[in-house]
Amino acid sequence: NIMENIKEFSLGDIELFKGDDNVDFAIAEVYFLSSGNNAQNCPISEEVLRRDAKSALGKPIVAKFHKWKGDVGGHEADEVIVGWIPESSEIEFKEKDGKLFAVAKAVISKLYGTDTYLLFKKDNLRSVSSEFSAYQPNANELGEGDVEGFAIRAVTILGKTIAPAIEGADIKMLKFSEKDANDFYSSQASNELKRFAESRKEKLGSKIKKKKL
């Protein structure tokens, strides 16, 4: 019974979130994709990055937590939604490590992604990998070649032993003042929070051929 689970969580685990701005949700900053080359030899130009990065809006943040190793994994068939990038978020472009990154604010559920969220309490920086459909008219037989268009499908939080295809692609939780947190939740996230609560069990479709960077 989900209400019993919520009650158990609120009584047994609420101490874990003492000092947090919001018991239900956390706000994170995600550097989800960059221009230049990557480990899969699928370069993305700054022009394409700026044009198509907005496809990340409204898309899920996913992870697969493994209790036996106390960490998340990589791209896995049974990864679950632990948060999302709100449609009302703003895509920013920031320079880091000599590359231009697309950056967005994301909302992470502490209630339905507790194990994943708690990893950030120990180490507030995790690598990520974006899954997206790519347009590569000149790709070779290995799928390598310039990406001339893309559509983000999801952003996966990676385990510490997994190297991202794009160095510097990462996610960290942001610390807000109480006023700033309240302003964010009321002005940007209210509708998305409701949708997330209703669709938390939704899985990623498995029939779309994706790039993973």
Side-chain angles (χ1 to χ4, degrees), residues 37-209:
N37 204 358
N38 46 67
Q40 293 195 354
N41 293 316
C42 298
I44 301 173
S45 69
E46 287 192 11
E47 178 184 4
V48 170
L49 181 70
R50 289 182 181 276
R51 185 192 68 206
D52 293 347
K54 63 182 180 294
S55 64
L57 298 177
K59 300 302 168 52
I61 306 293
V62 300
K64 170 60 179 178
F65 185 80
H66 296 276
K67 290 186 180 296
W68 59 273
K69 67 179 181 180
D71 198 4
V72 292
H75 294 281
E76 302 182 32
D78 57 347
E79 58 194 7
V80 299
I81 296 174
V82 298
W84 83 105
I85 299 174
E87 292 178 3
S88 56
S89 187
E90 178 183 353
I91 302 295
E92 300 179 274
F93 297 93
K94 300 182 180 182
E95 295 280 350
K96 184 171 73 166
D97 302 330
K99 295 177 287 189
L100 182 70
F101 274 86
V103 184
K105 299 293 191 300
V107 177
I108 304 298
S109 171
K110 299 176 186 179
L111 183 57
Y112 298 106
T114 306
D115 290 329
T116 300
Y117 169 71
L118 289 177
L119 294 175
F120 291 91
K121 303 280 278 189
K122 302 174 184 176
D123 183 357
N124 190 21
L125 190 66
R126 315 286 303 189
S127 294
V128 299
S129 176
S130 289
E131 297 184 358
F132 61 87
S133 299
Y135 175 58
Q136 295 173 280
N138 299 309
N140 62 23
E141 65 277 5
L142 299 177
E144 301 171 333
D146 291 342
V147 174
E148 297 187 15
F150 66 85
I152 299 289
R153 303 301 178 186
V155 177
T156 299
I157 300 174
L158 301 176
K160 283 295 187 179
T161 60
I162 300 175
I166 297 176
E167 186 175 354
D170 56 39
I171 180 173
K172 66 178 179 180
M173 299 299 157
L174 300 180
K175 182 69 176 177
F176 284 135
S177 68
E178 184 176 356
K179 180 182 182 302
D180 289 341
N182 289 337
D183 288 346
F184 182 91
Y185 289 115
S186 62
S187 65
Q188 289 199 31
S190 59
N191 291 332
E192 285 87 350
L193 294 178
K194 293 174 185 176
R195 283 201 294 270
F196 177 73
E198 294 169 356
S199 63
R200 60 186 175 270
K201 293 182 180 179
E202 179 183 341
K203 297 292 182 69
L204 290 176
S206 60
K207 295 183 179 180
I208 299 176
K209 185 176 182 181

